[in-house]
């Protein structure tokens, strides 16, 4: 057991990026990176918000970052922070209570802070600062709200201003390029008298005190954001009361969702971090879904990918179906964007956006990476051809319906999603001379090979998901979609061409894949000249080879093991593993899941462990071509949870009844798994 806390002591500057992502706090609506309070835009300090986007001129549209209420500066006779090096420094993330603590010891003062975003709450960020004298010292603490913030594709606020409000709070206000009014209000209570100050891009107070050894200045701050004047929830009046509530509710959510693993401190820490990272993304208020980089900022345009349905949803289905419903609702609400995209590409039905924002329109640029050497944009076909996204959305919706038994959501727009997705694939398929439907010119989960025909994942997922949905809806006697129509879906699905395992048991990733240069990743990597080099696409070095970015056939087998023989599962795991770069953080968990189905439990645990430690280690790629893609990795966290719950415990949830068929390695015997059934917390010992 133990962990529950993540510690970074006397960290070095190279660790800062990793800590910023692994130690972030949030509540599914807003978040704040694990950066030091004196950090600003240069260090990418970010008060992030999910669901409000802005576009500046022809730059990429991305979520706005909020004005930053955590600014501080401390002066004593020995110097200024920032600018001074502490003797000791520490961040401690209390994962059980969702609070980040900082403690820095300087020669004359000790600085302690804590911060959190109230669990289940609105757009609030709270912070406490304590400056304690280690020897008699005159301390000047300035605490401020700043409009000088980090933005990747900004500036997003051509207009912005700072002011004092009548009650002494300070206000930063701005209007985005798209005309959204954004305000951040900061109210603070201090232990000492204060003087207001207003300077370019900063508004706040100065607290001055002659401290005797052991005395302190204490400050409590409550930051609140409003978009277009909307108060999502009233800001708490009292810091301590809000903290008490948050502490208890986060603890409850965490303890009810965590697994207690015997005798493996590292895995416990990783799994706790995965659960923590998923809980801080659980939004109980709006159907905004979860961006690929979660609350860590504007990377990937704050967009929602297949990550949500395939990697994140399973956690919420087993721990908090209120959040799961909102995730599904988001896809229902964004159906118009998917209908529009299909029309724009010349198809019918719903072609969901590869990178989706609040309106569901496609936000993935046609030139989504750059050449790091020349800076030239590279044409990528993710938006045009990564058509598996629609069936992933379909899968997510049906998983939710099957898990919760909530057929009502079908009446509330869910059935239109199903229908339009099927319509899309019918219009996108071409009928071959073999009398079967083929999907040509697509991209599978391995994004390096573009414009390929008959990607195994895509074809099989479309077929299996439609078949499974029809059989479930028929079994339920669901009349929202007429039986005749379901029959047509089924006829279509059954006529989709499926790659069968060859004589050697291998399922070819796409037509012609096996004819590519047979070089394993370990050998191939010697050809990489620049670590930022983009390996896929027309000119990419991986393109003429069998090297793939991430699990593709393996993902299919991991998601639908019941459709294949154990032999086929094993052979494909063994075949694809050496060709897989694992460049995407999504890859490990699919390998973990398939390893579990193959009974290779040691390997399953290894992949799951890697996945849980993704952000703690901060080892993932920071660049795709020349584009910065750093940040946190929610899908790796959700994927690790999937490996544990589904792969090792065999958890299956149907209409709120969870059944297990465990497949645990010896060393994990005694594991205690906590989940919910119909909203009721349960624990099961294995
Ligand atoms: O959705 C993934 C994709 O599969 C690989 N590139 C990153 C995306 C966002 O996580």
């Amino acid at each position: 057991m133990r962990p529950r806390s993540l510690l970074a002591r006397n960290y070095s500057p190279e660790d800062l990026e990793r800590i910023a992502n692994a130690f972030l706090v949030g509540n599914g609506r807003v978040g704040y990176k694990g950066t030091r309070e004196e950090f600003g835009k240069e260090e990418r300090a970010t008060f992030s918000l999910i669901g409000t986007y802005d576009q500046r001129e022809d730059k990429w549209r991305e979520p706005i970052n909020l004005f930053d209420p955590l600014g501080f500066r401390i002066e004593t006779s020995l110097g200024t922070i920032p600018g001074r090096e502490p003797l000791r420094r520490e961040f401690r993330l209390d994962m059980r209570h969702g609070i980040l603590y900082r403690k820095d010891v300087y020669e004359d003062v000790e600085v302690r802070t804590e911060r959190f975003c109230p669990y289940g709450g609105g757009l609030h960020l709270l912070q406490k600062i304590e400056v304690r004298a280690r020897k008699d010292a005159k301390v000047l603490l300035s605490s401020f709200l700043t409009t000088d913030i980090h933005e990747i594709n900004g500036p997003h606020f051509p207009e912005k201003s700072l002011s004092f409000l009548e009650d002494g709070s300070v206000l930063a206000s701005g209007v985005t390029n798209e005309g959204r009014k954004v305000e951040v209000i900061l109210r603070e209570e201090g232990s000492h008298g204060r003087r207001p100050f207003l300077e370019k891009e900063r508004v706040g107070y100065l607290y001055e005190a002659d401290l005797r050894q052991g005395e302190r200045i204490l400050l409590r701050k409550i930051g609140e954001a409003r978009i277009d004047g909307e108060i999502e929830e009233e800001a708490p009046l009292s810091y301590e009361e809000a903290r008490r509530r948050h502490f208890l509710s986060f603890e409850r959510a965490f303890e009810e969702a965590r697994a207690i693993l015997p005798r493996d401190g590292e895995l416990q820490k990783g799994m706790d971090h995965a659960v923590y990272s998923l809980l801080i993304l659980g939004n109980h208020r709006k159907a905004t879904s979860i961006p690929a980089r979660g609350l860590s900022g504007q990377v990937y345009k704050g967009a929602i990918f297949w990550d949500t349905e395939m990697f994140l949803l399973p956690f919420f289905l087993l721990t908090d179906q209120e959040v799961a419903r909102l995730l599904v609702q988001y896809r229902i609400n964004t159906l118009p964007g998917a209908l529009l995209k299909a029309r724009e590409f010349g198809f019918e039905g719903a072609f969901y956006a590869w990178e989706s924002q609040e309106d569901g329109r496609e936000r993935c640029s046609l030139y989504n990476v750059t050449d790091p050497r020349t800076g030239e944009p590279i044409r990528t076909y993710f938006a045009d051809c990564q058509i598996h996204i629609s069936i992933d959305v379909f899968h997510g919706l049906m998983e939710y319906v099957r898990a919760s038994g909530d057929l009502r959501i079908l009446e509330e727009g869910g059935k239109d999603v199903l229908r339009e997705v099927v319509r899309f694939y019918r219009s996108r398929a071409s009928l071959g001379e073999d009398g079967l439907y083929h999907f040509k010119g697509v991209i599978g989960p391995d994004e390096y090979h573009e414009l390929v025909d008959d990607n195994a994942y895509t074809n099989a997922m479309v077929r299996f998901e439609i078949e499974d949905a029809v059989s479930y809806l028929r079994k339920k006697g669901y009349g929202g979609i007429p039986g005749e129509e379901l029959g047509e879906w089924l006829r279509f699905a059954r006529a989709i061409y499926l790659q069968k395992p060859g004589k050697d048991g291998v399922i070819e990733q796409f037509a012609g894949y096996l004819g590519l240069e047979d070089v394993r990743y370990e050998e191939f990597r010697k050809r990489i000249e620049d670590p930022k080099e983009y390996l896929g696409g027309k000119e990419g070095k991986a393109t003429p080879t069998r090297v793939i970015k991430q699990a593709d056939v393996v993902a299919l087998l991991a998601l639908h093991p019941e459709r294949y023989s154990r032999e086929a599962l094993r052979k494909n795991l063994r075949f694809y593993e050496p060709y897989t770069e694992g460049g995407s953080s999504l890859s490990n968990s699919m390998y973990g899941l398939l390893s579990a189905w193959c009974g290779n439990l040691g390997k399953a645990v290894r992949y799951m462990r890697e996945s849980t430690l993704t952000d703690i280690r901060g080892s993932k790629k920071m660049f795709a071509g020349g584009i910065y893609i750093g940040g946190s990795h929610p899908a790796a966290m959700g994927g690790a949870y999937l490996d544990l719950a589904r792969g090792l415990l065999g958890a299956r949830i149907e209409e709120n009844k969870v059944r297990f068929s465990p497949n645990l390695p010896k060393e994990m015997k005694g594991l205690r798994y906590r989940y919910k059934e119909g909203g009721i917390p349960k624990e099961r010992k294995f």
Side-chain angles (χ1 to χ4, degrees), residues 269-386:
K269 180 164 78 175
M271 201 43 89
D272 279 352
H273 190 243
V275 168
Y276 168 81
S277 304
L278 294 162
L279 286 176
I280 64 166
L281 291 169
N283 149 31
H284 296 85
R285 320 204 125 251
K286 295 209 162 176
T288 45
S289 201
I290 301 176
R293 287 287 179 265
L295 282 160
S296 63
Q298 296 161 316
V299 165
Y300 281 138
K301 312 174 192 90
I304 288 95
F305 292 67
W306 69 315
D307 305 28
T308 304
E309 282 72 22
M310 313 311 285
F311 296 82
L312 302 173
L313 192 62
F315 170 78
F316 293 106
L317 291 176
L318 283 156
T319 59
D320 191 344
Q321 289 190 1
E322 200 187 314
V323 175
R325 195 177 209 275
L326 284 173
L327 295 177
V328 171
Q329 188 67 50
Y330 164 80
R331 294 300 193 178
I332 296 175
N333 296 351
T334 52
L335 178 61
L339 296 174
L340 182 69
K341 177 176 170 188
R343 277 206 304 281
E344 283 171 358
F345 280 89
F347 302 108
E348 294 169 18
F351 185 4
Y352 274 89
W354 179 242
E355 296 187 20
S356 179
Q357 297 182 345
E358 82 286 24
D359 54 5
R361 296 181 64 172
E362 182 58 83
R363 301 294 176 175
C364 178
S365 147
L366 298 185
Y367 295 82
N368 221 29
V369 295
T370 57
D371 182 329
R373 285 158 302 196
T374 61
E376 283 300 304
I378 299 177
R379 175 71 163 102
T380 48
Y381 291 85
F382 308 143
D384 330 31
C385 301
Q386 208 153 163

Side-chain angles (χ1 to χ4, degrees), residues 420-652:
E420 297 299 342
V421 166
V422 175
R423 183 170 293 147
F424 166 66
Y425 286 110
R426 291 175 79 169
S427 77
R428 180 64 172 73
S430 19
L431 195 57
E433 284 176 4
D434 52 6
L436 297 174
Y437 289 111
H438 298 258
F439 295 112
K440 300 200 166 158
V442 305
I443 300 183
D446 154 36
E447 296 176 323
Y448 285 163
H449 297 89
E450 299 185 331
L451 303 171
V452 300
D453 295 344
D454 286 325
N455 166 249
Y457 175 93
T458 308
N459 287 27
M461 284 294 285
V462 177
R463 177 165 172 164
F464 299 161
E465 294 297 333
I466 297 177
E467 284 175 356
D468 290 353
V470 170
S471 116
Y472 180 81
L473 296 173
R474 281 185 172 161
K475 196 168 81 200
K476 288 284 123 198
Y478 175 69
I481 303 168
E484 213 172 290
E485 190 178 342
L486 291 179
E488 278 171 29
W489 292 10
L490 204 54
R491 276 192 291 286
F492 165 64
R494 287 184 177 154
I496 294 172
Y497 168 77
L498 271 193
Q499 281 84 343
K500 299 255 165 46
K503 279 204 196 88
D504 53 0
V506 172
I507 297 173
E508 191 174 30
Q509 187 177 296
F510 53 82
Y513 172 83
L514 293 174
L516 298 177
E517 186 195 339
D518 182 0
V519 54
R520 293 166 173 232
Y521 181 70
E522 271 319 296
E523 186 54 31
F524 170 86
R525 65 192 296 187
K526 299 183 190 142
R527 302 178 189 174
I528 301 174
E529 289 155 277
D530 180 332
K532 294 184 186 167
E533 196 173 327
Y534 185 60
L535 303 175
K538 196 160 161 233
E539 309 286 339
K541 290 192 179 128
T543 307
T545 76
R546 288 185 185 176
V547 167
I548 59 175
K549 177 177 175 182
Q550 66 192 74
D552 191 305
V553 171
V554 165
L556 164 66
L557 303 184
L559 293 164
H560 281 288
E562 75 290 351
R563 301 277 187 155
Y564 298 89
S565 68
R566 197 128 196 251
E567 192 59 8
L569 301 184
R570 281 209 182 115
K571 291 207 157 138
N572 283 282
L573 174 65
R574 213 173 308 135
F575 178 82
Y576 281 104
E577 207 173 13
Y579 297 119
T580 307
E581 176 203 21
S584 162
S585 65
L586 278 55
S587 199
N588 279 331
S589 61
M590 285 296 154
Y591 271 94
L593 192 52
L594 183 57
S595 302
W597 302 140
C598 292
N600 194 336
L601 302 182
K603 194 179 262 190
V605 174
R606 236 177 3 259
Y607 276 117
M608 176 174 77
R609 184 188 304 272
E610 286 298 305
S611 207
T612 64
L613 296 175
T614 305
D615 288 330
I616 292 181
R617 288 194 182 139
S619 51
K620 278 292 155 200
K621 276 192 184 180
M622 293 291 200
F623 286 87
I627 302 291
Y628 175 70
I629 55 164
S632 62
H633 297 83
M637 304 298 110
Y641 183 87
L642 184 66
D643 286 359
L644 175 71
R646 197 158 295 169
L648 298 178
L649 304 179
R652 287 263 160 210

